[in-house]
Amino acid sequence: MNTHELITRIIDLALYEDGQDVTSLSIFGPDDVMEGVIRVKEAGIIAGIDVAGRVFSTVSQEIDCRFHVPDGAVVRAGDIIAHVKGPSVSVLCGERVALNFLQRMSGIATLTSRYVDRIQDTRARILDTRKTCPGNRVLDKMAVRIGGGMNHRMGLYDMALIKDNHIDRAGSITDALMRLRSKAADIPVEVEARCLADVEELLGLRVDRIMLDNFSLEEMRNAVGMVDGRVALEASGGITLDTLRDVALTGVDYISVGDLTHSVRALDISMITGKIL
């Protein structure tokens, strides 16, 4: 399934959850037309423009939704980012679903941009994780990209990640890697290292990336020196905005951050409806 089809399913499910708007259908007539604006109530990075527009067009082709900023735009409190006009029942039916997508995605993009800005003068790049809202991953990861971050892997299928439980079951890093390659020879491979000895072992193996899991800053610096650019290094484990820069200055290539998506605060955006024609 391609991304467009997946987003269509997500939108359809979100609208299905709401069902029929009994309240609006009881109060507004079929000929009532409503105008409204979408206003940002705090500064941030906008993400989800296309998704929100598709919500309204899915509800009704008669809704005219015109956004005035693109994804990735920097906005300030009070900025009007869109005008919406259409049948009153349809506009109100799509309002909350469109805002839910827009607010969450903008919150992720805004937080991601803060992480990216904090280390922009270093070699490190910010990665997301699979700690996303279930069923909403494609949108969460899209928002990370809009905020300037990079996607790690979309799921379990597009990159192998050999972690401690795999290594313990196989008996060693080398044995785990051999088992993987016997089943999936062509997939990119990342392996979690728990100590510097693991990093040393991995240098003799063919891997695409080494994850430094919960390493201290000193251990990260030692790993960077040991690897000397031969394999990409990813720092992972409890990294926050406060600790981010120190991690980046160790010289690692990537820093993965679960906070980008698993507990993000939505950007405050609202729709104000006014004139009923």
Side-chain angles (χ1 to χ4, degrees), residues 153 156 160-173 175-177 179 190 192 194:
R153 50 180 184 162
L156 298 172
L161 177 52
I162 297 176
K163 303 190 74 173
D164 54 358
N165 47 8
H166 305 116
I167 295 166
D168 293 342
R169 176 64 180 87
S172 71
I173 289 174
D175 289 338
L177 194 57
R179 290 193 188 192
E190 179 172 9
E192 177 186 286
R194 290 177 279 187

Side-chain angles (χ1 to χ4, degrees), residues 27-262:
I27 294 172
F28 293 98
D31 297 326
D32 287 333
V33 175
M34 177 179 289
E35 289 184 344
V37 298
I38 297 178
R39 186 190 302 272
V40 180
K41 299 172 75 174
E42 61 179 321
I45 306 293
I46 289 297
I49 294 297
D50 290 341
V51 179
R54 284 176 62 180
V55 169
F56 284 117
S57 64
T58 299
V59 172
S60 173
Q61 291 293 320
E62 295 183 58
I63 297 178
D64 181 19
C65 179
R66 300 186 182 184
F67 281 92
H68 310 310
V69 298
D71 279 333
V74 178
V75 293
R76 299 169 297 178
D79 283 354
I80 292 175
I81 62 171
H83 280 80
V84 182
K85 180 180 178 181
S88 298
V89 172
S90 298
V91 170
L92 294 174
C93 180
E95 173 189 6
R96 176 42 51 199
V97 174
L99 287 177
N100 283 347
F101 287 129
L102 199 59
Q103 288 180 290
R104 178 175 174 84
M105 291 183 69
S106 296
I108 291 171
T110 299
L111 182 58
T112 301
S113 72
R114 291 175 185 157
Y115 274 84
V116 171
D117 289 346
R118 188 70 59 93
I119 60 168
Q120 62 180 344
D121 60 337
T122 72
R123 65 180 295 169
R125 296 294 177 264
I126 297 297
L127 295 176
D128 56 21
T129 69
R130 288 171 47 245
K131 296 176 182 178
T132 54
C133 178
N136 211 55
R137 180 171 297 164
V138 66
L139 300 182
D140 283 2
K141 285 182 172 280
M142 183 187 299
V144 168
R145 295 195 303 272
I146 292 169
M150 299 175 64
N151 296 150
H152 189 277
R153 50 180 184 162
M154 190 58 68
L156 298 172
Y157 59 88
D158 54 342
M159 183 180 193
L161 177 52
I162 297 176
K163 303 190 74 173
D164 54 358
N165 47 8
H166 305 116
I167 295 166
D168 293 342
R169 176 64 180 87
S172 71
I173 289 174
T174 300
D175 289 338
L177 194 57
M178 288 177 60
R179 290 193 188 192
L180 172 70
R181 287 189 176 138
S182 70
K183 302 286 187 180
D186 298 326
I187 194 169
V189 179
E190 179 172 9
V191 181
E192 177 186 286
R194 290 177 279 187
C195 61
L196 289 171
D198 288 350
V199 175
E200 187 173 8
E201 180 179 354
L202 284 163
L203 283 177
L205 304 171
R206 182 171 52 87
V207 300
D208 299 282
R209 191 182 302 170
I210 299 172
M211 176 184 287
L212 307 178
D213 186 47
N214 288 299
F215 274 39
S216 68
L217 293 175
E218 182 179 0
E219 288 172 326
M220 288 183 201
R221 284 190 287 268
N222 288 336
V224 169
M226 184 185 301
V227 169
D228 193 26
R230 286 174 286 174
V231 182
L233 294 176
E234 173 189 336
S236 179
I239 298 167
T240 66
L241 268 174
D242 291 333
T243 61
L244 176 68
R245 186 163 180 81
D246 287 338
V247 173
L249 290 174
T250 65
V252 295
D253 302 283
Y254 300 104
I255 302 173
S256 53
V257 182
D259 279 355
L260 300 182
T261 54
H262 76 58

